[in-house]
Amino acid sequence: DAGVTQSPTHLIKTRGQQVTLRCSPKSGHDTVSWYQQALGQGPQFIFQYYEEEERQRGNFPDRFSGHQFPNYSSELNVNALLLGDSALYLCASSLGASKGDEQFFGPGTRLTVL
Amino acid sequence: AQRVTQPEKLLSVFKGAPVELKCNYSYSGSPELFWYVQYSRQRLQLLLRHISRESIKGFTADLNKGETSFHLKKPFAQEEDSAMYYCALSGRSSSNTGKLIFGQGTTLQVKP
């Protein structure tokens, strides 16, 4: 099991563009959470998907949206990119969307907005 | 407000010295507390959680509800402990589905 995988590894976009990041959860996991980690900061929760629905959302604008597919993989979409969206985007998977279940993190996608 | 504070950005100790990484939290309810670690060029991984009350790699952490703290301790630091450490909390409520709130992280540097 490769664990949580994310693609692409790195991405460079310009302001105003749109981006899609992808995540495959650890085998057997059905819940995916997305986090944004700015340089020198801890990860910040964006949202969580379970049973193809957004279960919980952090303090992020509507430009950030997501999707979960029947195979539990997930996408994070960001529209109208701003310079401040430059960050490492982490995906984490867990089982059952229950509080306290261990979340397993992927390696992240490094997004640079120019 | 839900918040996790790690007051030290960098903690530098010599090998064999005791280590204490500080974590304070603010949460109106009964949280679950975690320590995550990120070694160089590796992904973020769970080190320990307060409900399991385990010692992992010689590290322990006790939840002090009175002081709202969850400090990470190790009596004798090893060079391989050098990493970034994040304290995190998850709320225990019906509306919380495992969202993690992280501190800013502390870099632990263990010198030979």
Side-chain angles (χ1 to χ4, degrees):
Chain A
D1 180 17
V4 179
T5 60
Q6 293 185 244
S7 63
T9 305
H10 296 89
L11 205 50
I12 299 175
K13 292 286 187 178
T14 56
R15 279 177 296 176
Q17 285 189 311
Q18 178 265 342
V19 69
T20 298
L21 311 182
R22 294 176 177 83
C23 171
S24 290
K26 182 177 166 65
S27 177
H29 284 181
D30 57 9
T31 302
V32 172
S33 301
W34 287 92
Y35 294 83
Q36 181 195 65
Q37 187 174 20
L39 203 60
Q41 304 293 319
Q44 272 199 292
F45 178 80
I46 303 174
F47 42 52
Q48 183 183 79
Y49 277 84
Y50 172 67
E51 293 187 339
E52 302 180 52
E53 289 189 2
E54 184 182 289
R55 283 290 295 263
Q56 196 173 7
R57 189 179 183 92
N59 190 23
F60 278 81
D62 292 344
R63 297 187 297 109
F64 289 76
S65 63
H67 188 78
Q68 186 178 35
F69 299 93
N71 67 353
Y72 308 120
S73 67
S74 177
E75 288 182 349
L76 163 66
N77 300 292
V78 187
N79 294 322
L81 284 167
L82 303 173
L83 294 180
D85 295 332
S86 295
L88 180 69
Y89 288 85
L90 296 170
C91 169
S93 75
S94 55
L95 180 61
S98 297
K99 48 193 178 295
D101 283 347
E102 180 177 351
Q103 294 191 24
F104 290 78
F105 283 81
T109 292
R110 173 74 61 190
L111 173 64
T112 302
V113 182
L114 302 176
Chain B
Q2 303 172 9
R3 185 166 50 241
V4 175
T5 303
Q6 294 179 250
E8 304 138 328
K9 282 191 92 72
L10 172 67
L11 183 63
S12 187
V13 301
F14 285 100
K15 177 183 170 181
V19 169
E20 183 179 49
L21 295 156
K22 290 185 167 49
C23 172
N24 290 89
Y25 67 90
S26 171
Y27 186 80
S28 55
S30 187
E32 292 194 52
L33 274 295
F34 306 84
W35 276 98
Y36 278 80
V37 61
Q38 187 166 28
Y39 300 102
S40 179
R41 283 186 281 280
Q42 293 188 28
R43 60 186 67 187
L44 198 59
Q45 58 186 284
L46 179 66
L47 179 63
L48 55 78
R49 56 203 302 180
H50 89 270
I51 57 171
S52 58
R53 303 183 69 83
E54 295 176 301
S55 171
I56 305 292
K57 298 185 180 184
F59 284 98
T60 59
D62 290 319
L63 179 60
N64 186 322
K65 293 184 179 178
E67 295 182 0
T68 59
S69 68
F70 187 57
H71 303 326
L72 183 68
K73 300 177 184 179
K74 185 170 183 177
F76 308 104
Q78 303 298 315
E79 289 181 69
E80 55 266 29
D81 296 329
S82 295
M84 175 70 89
Y85 291 80
Y86 293 97
C87 182
L89 74 77
S90 177
R92 288 184 179 183
S93 70
S94 58
S95 63
N96 190 299
T97 56
K99 157 189 171 181
L100 289 170
I101 299 168
F102 285 88
Q104 291 193 312
T106 299
T107 299
L108 174 63
Q109 185 184 74
V110 181
K111 296 177 285 189

